[in-house]
C-alpha cells in the first residue's frame, strides 16, 4: 500500500540523496511542526533533509522558538531537482507557491496531509481526512520507519497537534489524538509553556487591536441559511495604529467566533487595498470548506479560508451570497 511505498522510498534512498521537505505558504503550527518534527526524525535515521516553504519566506512568532529550525533554508536555495520531496499540510499544489514545480522535478514525491479536499497529488499521497492534523500522519510514518520520538521531535509534533485541534477542543480530537499527545508528553516536553506561547501570549498593542475588531463586529441572524453569521475585519491601518504586525491576527477569529447567536464566523484581514485574507469557521450546520472552495480557497468543513479581491463590502457580499 501507500504507507509501505513511502517507507520504501525513504529507506531505498542512497546516502547522498537529497531530501527536500516543503509545507504550505504562510505556514501554521501544523505545517511547520509536522515538517520539522518529521525532518528531525529523518536525521535520527542518518539523513540530512532540507526544509523550506514558499515566499514570503519569514518565520514569525510563536514559531521562532520551534526545535529543528536549523533544517530551514530559503526557498530560493532549495534544490531544483531533489531525489525525494516530502510535502506537508498542503491541500492543493497551489499552496506550495514557487516550490510547486518540485513535484515534477523530484525523483519521487510523498504528500502527507489531512484535508478532505486534497486531490491526492504527488507520487505517494498519504492523505488521511480523519486525522486531526498532518502531524498525526507524520508520526505514523515516523513510527513505521522505526524512529524513536525524542523531545525536540515531540515538541514540533505537539505544536502541530495543539494548533489544528484548537488545544484539543475541535471535532477530530479523538482518543487516538489524546494517545498521541500522551506519547509526546512522555518525552518531557512542557505543555503549559508551549500552549501559552501558542495561544495565550500576545503584545499589549495586539490586545487593544483585538478590542477594536470585537467592537466593530456585526451579527446577521438571518445569514448562513438562518444559521447566523458574525463577522468583523482588521485593516492595514489597524496594524499601523497599534504598531503591530500581521501575524498577531492569527488568533483573531477565535475571539470573534464565541458569539453564540452565530453558526458561521468570518474574519477579513486586509492584505492590500483590494485584497483580503478571509477566514471562515462553522460550528456544524454549514460546510465552510464548500463556501471557501467556491470562492477560490479551501480548507476543512469547520475551518476554511480564501483570498477575496475587492472592497470590504464586496468581499463580505461574496461570503453572504455563498452562504
Ligand atoms: P485560517 O482561517 O486559520 O487562516 O485557515 C483555516 C484553514 O483554511 C486552513 O487550515 C487552510 O486549510 C484553509 N485556508 C485558509 N486560507 C486559505 C486559502 O487562501 N486557500 C486555501 N486553499 N485554503 C485556505
Ligand atoms: Mn495548515
Ligand atoms: Mn493541518
Amino acid at each position: 500500500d501507500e504507507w509501505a511505498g513511502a517507507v520504501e522510498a525513504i529507506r531505498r534512498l542512497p546516502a547522498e540523496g537529497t531530501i527536500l521537505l516543503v509545507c504550505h505558504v504562510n505556514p501554521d503550527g501544523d505545517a511547520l511542526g509536522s515538517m520539522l518534527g518529521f525532518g528531525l526524525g529523518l536525521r535520527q535515521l542518518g539523513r540530512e533533509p532540507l526544509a523550506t516553504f514558499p515566499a514570503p519566506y519569514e518565520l514569525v512568532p510563536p514559531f521562532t522558538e520551534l526545535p529543528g529550525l536549523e533544517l530551514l533554508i530559503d526557498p530560493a536555495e532549495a534544490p531544483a531537482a531533489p531525489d525525494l520531496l516530502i510535502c506537508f499540510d498542503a491541500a492543493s499544489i497551489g499552496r506550495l507557491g514557487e516550490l510547486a514545480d518540485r513535484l515534477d522535478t523530484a525523483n519521487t514525491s510523498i504528500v502527507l496531509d489531512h484535508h478532505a479536499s486534497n486531490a491526492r497529488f504527488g507520487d505517494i499521497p498519504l492523505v488521511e481526512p480523519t486525522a486531526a492534523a498532518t502531524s498525526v500522519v507524520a508520526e505514523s510514518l515516523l513510527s513505521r520507519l522505526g524512529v524513536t520520538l525524542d523531545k525536540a521531535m515531540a515538541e514540533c509534533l505537539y505544536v502541530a497537534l495543539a494548533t489544528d485541534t484548537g488545544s484539543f477542543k475541535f471535532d477530530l480530537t479523538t482518543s487516538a489524538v489524546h494517545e498521541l499527545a500522551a506519547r509526546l508528553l512522555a518525552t518531557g516536553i512542557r505543555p503549559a509553556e508551549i500552549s501559552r506561547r501558542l495561544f495565550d501570549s500576545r503584545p499589549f498593542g495586539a490586545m487593544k487591536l483585538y478590542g477594536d475588531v470585537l467592537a466593530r463586529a456585526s451579527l446577521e441572524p438571518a445569514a448562513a441559511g438562518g444559521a447566523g453569521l458574525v463577522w468583523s475585519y482588521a485593516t492595514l491601518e489597524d496594524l499601523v495604529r497599534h504598531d503591530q504586525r500581521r501575524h498577531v491576527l492569527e488568533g483573531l477569529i477565535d475571539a470573534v467566533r464565541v458569539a453564540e447567536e452565530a453558526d458561521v464566523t468570518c474574519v477579513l484581514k486586509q492584505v492590500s487595498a483590494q485584497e483580503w485574507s478571509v477566514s471562515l469557521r462553522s460550528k456544524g450546520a454549514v460546510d465552510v470548506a464548500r463556501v471557501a472552495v467556491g470562492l477560490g480557497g479551501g480548507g476543512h468543513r469547520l475551518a476554511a479560508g480564501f483570498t477575496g479581491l475587492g472592497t470590504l463590502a464586496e468581499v463580505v457580499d461574496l461570503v453572504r451570497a455563498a452562504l
Side-chain angles (χ1 to χ4, degrees):
D1 66 344
E2 279 156 347
W3 290 98
V7 168
E8 264 305 291
I10 294 168
R11 287 225 179 103
R12 262 205 330 263
L13 198 73
E16 68 282 5
T18 50
I19 306 179
L20 181 64
L21 313 181
V22 298
C23 66
H24 68 71
V25 67
N26 300 322
D28 51 26
D30 188 27
L32 283 170
S34 59
M35 177 170 78
L36 296 176
F38 195 84
L40 291 171
L42 289 177
R43 259 203 181 162
Q44 191 185 89
L45 298 175
R47 305 290 180 173
E48 285 299 329
L50 302 168
T52 191
F53 55 87
Y57 181 66
E58 195 199 356
L59 213 57
V60 294
F63 306 127
T64 43
E65 316 246 337
L66 275 174
L69 294 180
E70 65 276 11
L71 302 178
L72 285 174
I73 57 163
D74 192 298
E77 264 123 55
D83 294 296
L84 180 62
L85 179 77
I86 312 180
C87 173
F88 296 84
D89 203 40
S92 63
I93 294 171
R95 300 275 285 159
L96 297 176
E98 76 273 25
L99 294 162
D101 71 322
R102 302 310 197 282
L103 284 163
D104 298 319
T105 60
N107 194 36
T108 308
S109 59
I110 304 174
V111 170
L112 277 64
D113 190 32
H114 67 127
H115 292 87
S117 64
N118 188 301
R120 301 181 66 83
F121 57 91
D123 299 326
I124 306 174
L126 300 177
V127 181
E128 300 284 328
T130 58
T134 294
S135 64
V136 174
V137 183
E139 193 274 339
S140 180
L141 185 54
L142 285 174
S143 149
R144 286 163 212 251
L145 285 163
V147 170
T148 310
L149 291 175
D150 65 20
K151 205 171 161 182
M153 276 175 234
E155 177 157 344
C156 290
L157 297 174
Y158 190 86
V159 163
L161 197 57
T163 298
D164 269 29
T165 58
S167 282
F168 306 94
K169 287 187 293 192
F170 297 163
D171 227 16
L172 292 170
T173 309
T174 57
S175 58
V177 164
H178 281 288
E179 277 162 22
L180 173 55
R183 274 186 284 131
L184 298 175
L185 292 180
T187 65
I189 58 170
R190 312 269 299 257
E193 216 169 88
I194 296 169
S195 293
R196 177 157 29 79
R197 208 194 309 141
L198 284 180
F199 306 110
D200 298 333
S201 177
R202 218 162 263 132
F204 185 71
M207 186 194 84
K208 303 289 274 183
L209 196 168
Y210 274 44
D212 291 355
V213 171
L214 289 174
R216 66 166 79 112
S218 302
L219 182 65
E220 301 183 14
L229 167 71
V230 62
W231 68 275
S232 193
Y233 61 95
T235 63
L236 293 174
E237 203 279 315
D238 291 325
L239 290 172
V240 172
R241 191 173 65 260
H242 290 288
D243 192 24
Q244 294 300 310
R245 295 184 51 221
R246 170 177 313 283
H247 65 81
V248 306
L249 302 178
E250 214 44 62
L252 190 51
I253 195 156
D254 295 316
V256 178
R257 69 185 170 83
V258 299
E260 66 182 12
E261 293 85 349
D263 182 66
V264 177
T265 306
C266 174
V267 167
L268 304 96
K269 297 172 272 190
Q270 190 174 31
V271 177
S272 61
Q274 298 264 40
E275 184 180 348
W276 302 81
S277 167
V278 185
S279 290
L280 297 165
R281 298 292 184 270
S282 165
K283 289 173 191 157
V286 175
D287 178 353
V288 289
R290 273 182 64 193
V291 173
V293 167
L295 295 169
H300 309 278
R301 210 173 66 80
L302 303 182
F306 69 97
T307 297
L309 301 178
T311 64
L312 176 68
E314 284 165 352
V315 178
V316 176
D317 267 342
L318 287 177
V319 173
R320 276 194 205 96
L323 284 170

